[in-house]
Every structure is written in C-alpha cells, then in structure tokens.
Amino acid sequence: MSRYVAGDLTDAELILDRCNDLAGISSHPDYLERVHLSPQHREANDLVARWMTEAGLTTWQDAAGNQCGRLEGREPGLPALLLGSHIDTVPDAGRYDGMLGVLLAIQVVERIRLSGVELPFALEVVAFSDEEGTRFGNALLGSRALSGTWDDDWWKLTDKDGITLAEAFQDFGLDPARVHGAFRRPGSLIGYLETHIEQGPILEDADRRLAVVTSIAGARRFAVTITGKAGHAGGTPFDRRKDALVGASELVIEVERLSKQYGVIGTVGRLQAFPGGINVIPGRVEFSLDLRGEFDDDRDECLRLFTKAAEEMCARRGLGFDATEIYRADAVMCDPALKDAIAAGIAATGDTEPLAFWSRAGHDGMAVVNIAPIAMLFLRCRGGISHHPDEAVKKADVAAALDAFEAAVLSVATSR
Ligand code: HGY
Ligand code: MN
Ligand code: MN
C-alpha cells in the first residue's frame, strides 16, 4: 500500500525545502510572520498554487482567500476528500505549523496521481488563509467561510492599524459580498484529513513518530480591560492607588492557578499597561485571555471562576473589569471511520498500535466539521516546541507521515 522504504527521504526533503521557501515569505525581515490577506499571504498563495499545478491539480483561490487544488477521481465531478492545513502564522513563528500539512497533502496527491490508482472520490487540497487569527483576533476565518459558518459581524473587526476585515478583503482583491461563495455545500466533501505537528511533547516523550488525533480542544479568547486611575509613581500613597497593573497581575496568576486546578489551559499572551510612563501608575491594562480544554464544560467553569475572581479583586482594589469575547470554537470529535483510516495509515509505517490523544492546539477541522467528518494525523516535533522559530521536525518523521497520510487516503478509498 505504501512505497515506504526506510531512508526514502526524497519526498520529505522536497517538503522541508518548500517549508523553507515559505518561511522566506514574511512581513518581517528578522522573523517569520505571515498574516491573513497580507501581501505575504498573496505571495504564499501564488507559490502554493504553482506547486499544486506541478503536482497535477487544477487550482483556484476561493472567495475567502483559501488556495485550493483538485485532482479528479475515477470520473469527473465526484465529491472530494479534502486534505490540507493553513499557511498563515503567528508572530515570530516556526516554519512547520500549518505549512507542513499543506505541502504534505500536495505530495500525497501527486503520489496517488503518479501511481495511477483511480479513487472513488476526488482529492482536494486547501491552504487555509487564517487559522491563527493573528491579524484580526478572531480565527479560522478561511475555514469558516468554506464551511458556511461565516458571520457578517466580523467585517468590522480591525487589525492593529485600524484596517477592517472588509477593507483588507478588498485590498486583497476579494469582494466581501461574495465571501459566502467559498461555502462548500454538504455532500461536496466526503471528509477532511489534516496532518499537523503535535505542538506538544507527548510523541517525543513516548519516542513515537505519529499519532491519531481523537478530538480538538475547544477554545475561547477574550480581550480583558482593567481600569484604575493613573497617578504619580512617587507622590501617590499605596492606600490611595488604583493600580490597574497590580490588579491585572493578580488575575494573570489566577488564570494559571485555575487552569491547573481544573485541567484546562489558560494563557495570557499579550498585556499592555497605559499610559505606559515609567513614573506613572498604570490607569488601564489590556490583556488577552486564551482559554481551552478537552471538554467545553471544564473550560467554561474555569471562565466562570476567573470572572468571579476578577470581580472580587476589582471590588477590593476599586478597579473596573471588562472581558469581551473575540473568538470561540467549541471542542470537536474526530470521526471514528476516518480515525481508523489514519490508524491504518500509521500501521503502514510499521506502528500497528499508534498513540491516540486529543489536540491541545486548535485547527481548521473545528470549522470544517460543520460540513464534513474530520480526522488528523500528528507528527512529532522537537521538544514539542511550536509558535517559536525553534520549531523543528525530523526528515524521517516527515517521510513516515507522508507514507502514513498516503496510506490513510487509500484506506478511505478501500473502505467506501
Ligand atoms: O491557537 C492554537 O491552538 C492554534 O495554533 N491556532
Ligand atoms: Mn498555530
Ligand atoms: Mn496550526
């Protein structure tokens, strides 16, 4: 079923070289950042489209800026098995988060095309345009358009320069009024498979290459504001201060404490004190809250307790508290039959009892699940490091993931 020959690393080398090519497309000269609807997004889409064409796919960019490609099955017009991942990044990103899954999917489609196998479905590859939500705070914008869960309220979202999502769409050459054209009606896709680095240490700690993903954590993101009163850092006695930063600091510690107590994962990734003078008591603090968990109930209970703690702290310190939700994607289960195909794929590389665990990271499958069953293949990344330039993978693991993913696709075909 698989052409896997230990040491057959040529395809893996090509994928890693292409990850390096994409890593060179950044809005910053000294670190990798490529955000939704940016000139760098355009350049990356064009490069991925070229690779898709070379692999024998017909290509198009959909109405939401996702770069797509298609290889027909044994007859034209069949529903498709969708493969892919995302090509946008976080700030100062690694070069494999998302990109590896897109390039590996292209390589699998080319392998199957060259093998002459005629599948009972078409194969499509998608490079989703905005899984991270780096530019506008809300995430999964490309996959939510594709899966018909777009909300027109998002058009007024703004980036750090005050550009709205609608303006960014138009600047990119897209028509906001046509975004719903990206919607893939149910029935046009038989499923979605994504390969992604684990972005955690479980595989490396277990000395395994690959794993089956059982579910994807549900996440909620908030913009939190603590308001106090700016004042003189010298003349203001402590019993008369309304120090927004000291109050916010209590809450940052509380996020970690509640997370550990409830087995969820809370992170404050961004915090800014205003007015920001070295000799001025901060009158306002804005910080982000990312709260996620395997089970939505645990996450939401943690959120309730965080809010309660915030209100109690603010009453005690004479501060104000506001939390605005900017993103929500609830936990999703992977499809049992597609999980079996992923496990069969991993077995084709010799691992007949693969690890299976939930993804602590979010993925586009959280949106695609609205129109098709989903499954994911994880591969090991060094030290579990991700969302950092030290993100790294082994060539042999990429070779194994490529073979497992190819075998998983073929397994879907034989089970239909
Ligand atoms: O935040 C996440 O888990 C994903 O990397 N966007
Ligand atoms: Mn990521
Ligand atoms: Mn990712």
Side-chain angles (χ1 to χ4, degrees):
M1 176 156 21
S2 155
R3 295 188 307 128
Y4 188 69
V5 174
D8 177 1
L9 301 179
T10 46
D11 284 346
E13 280 164 357
L14 175 66
I15 289 170
L16 293 174
D17 287 347
R18 288 177 169 178
C19 284
N20 292 335
D21 293 341
L22 284 172
I25 303 174
S26 173
S27 53
H28 290 269
D30 45 8
Y31 60 82
L32 174 54
E33 180 172 330
R34 186 168 58 244
V35 299
H36 190 32
L37 305 172
S38 62
Q40 293 73 34
H41 175 190
R42 153 74 53 233
E43 193 181 340
N45 269 10
D46 293 346
L47 185 53
V48 166
R50 200 181 85 211
W51 291 332
M52 285 178 170
T53 304
E54 289 168 2
L57 289 83
T58 52
T59 66
W60 70 97
Q61 178 186 273
D62 74 9
N66 300 310
Q67 182 58 48
C68 307
R70 180 180 170 98
L71 179 76
E72 291 300 339
R74 59 184 169 214
E75 60 200 65
L78 293 172
L81 178 63
L82 182 64
L83 314 176
S85 191
H86 61 95
I87 55 167
D88 65 307
T89 78
V90 295
D92 199 8
R95 60 191 61 203
Y96 304 109
D97 172 3
M99 285 68 83
L100 187 70
V102 172
L103 299 171
L104 194 140
I106 294 172
Q107 208 59 28
V108 161
V109 173
E110 178 167 43
R111 275 186 169 184
I112 290 174
R113 179 180 66 83
L114 294 174
S115 74
V117 167
E118 294 207 324
L119 299 177
F121 44 76
L123 285 177
E124 289 191 15
V125 178
V126 60
F128 282 118
S129 58
D130 182 54
E131 187 277 333
E132 301 288 3
T134 302
R135 183 171 180 184
F136 295 99
N138 200 350
L140 308 180
L141 294 182
S143 43
R144 281 171 152 171
L146 180 137
S147 56
T149 52
W150 183 270
D151 183 335
D152 284 333
D153 280 353
W154 298 338
W155 290 124
K156 52 181 178 294
L157 290 172
T158 56
D159 67 8
K160 62 184 178 359
D161 301 320
I163 297 170
T164 66
L165 177 57
E167 289 161 344
F169 244 68
Q170 287 155 337
D171 294 347
F172 196 73
L174 295 169
D175 177 357
R178 289 176 28 81
V179 70
H180 300 284
F183 174 43
R184 302 301 302 277
R185 57 173 178 69
S188 66
L189 298 177
I190 65 163
Y192 173 64
L193 300 183
E194 178 170 355
T195 298
H196 203 289
I197 53 172
E198 178 201 337
Q199 299 177 298
I202 297 171
L203 276 169
E204 187 170 75
D205 291 353
D207 191 22
R208 307 287 279 275
R209 293 182 195 275
L210 306 173
V212 179
V213 175
T214 54
S215 67
I216 305 174
R220 296 176 72 175
R221 294 180 188 173
F222 296 85
V224 181
T225 304
I226 306 296
T227 46
K229 186 167 174 46
H232 196 290
T236 313
F238 279 103
D239 62 357
R240 299 189 190 188
R241 291 188 177 204
K242 295 188 185 308
D243 187 329
L245 182 52
V246 174
S249 305
E250 275 197 45
L251 295 184
V252 174
I253 298 294
E254 184 66 3
V255 165
E256 184 186 62
R257 190 190 69 77
L258 286 170
S259 296
K260 288 178 177 175
Q261 183 179 348
Y262 285 84
V264 302
I265 311 163
T267 307
V268 174
R270 197 167 44 216
L271 183 145
Q272 197 167 1
F274 299 91
I278 195 167
N279 57 353
V280 180
I281 299 166
R284 186 176 95 256
V285 166
E286 294 174 356
F287 64 83
S288 62
L289 175 61
D290 176 306
L291 203 53
R292 54 183 81 190
E294 183 179 11
F295 304 107
D296 296 336
D297 292 349
D298 296 343
R299 176 202 63 194
D300 295 344
E301 174 61 6
C302 191
L303 176 64
R304 187 185 68 80
L305 292 169
F306 166 78
T307 305
K308 186 163 168 271
E311 288 162 351
E312 180 277 323
M313 179 280 293
C314 286
R316 178 165 35 86
R317 288 180 173 274
L319 301 173
F321 167 71
D322 177 72
T324 304
E325 187 160 30
I326 56 176
Y327 166 73
R328 175 171 185 159
D330 286 341
V332 297
M333 301 306 290
C334 292
D335 175 75
L338 291 182
K339 277 195 300 182
D340 289 346
I342 296 285
I346 297 174
T349 67
D351 180 354
T352 52
E353 292 183 13
L355 288 184
F357 53 87
W358 62 284
S359 172
R360 279 75 174 160
H363 300 283
D364 286 297
M366 301 167 92
V368 181
V369 75
N370 289 284
I371 56 169
I374 68 163
M376 290 188 72
L377 168 68
F378 265 173
L379 78 141
R380 174 170 54 184
C381 55
R382 191 178 63 202
I385 295 168
S386 183
H387 287 189
H388 189 283
D390 288 351
E391 208 173 78
V393 291
K394 289 181 179 175
K395 201 181 297 183
D397 289 355
V398 175
L402 189 55
D403 292 297
F405 206 52
E406 178 188 10
V409 171
L410 296 173
S411 171
V412 173
T414 50
S415 62
R416 288 184 69 79

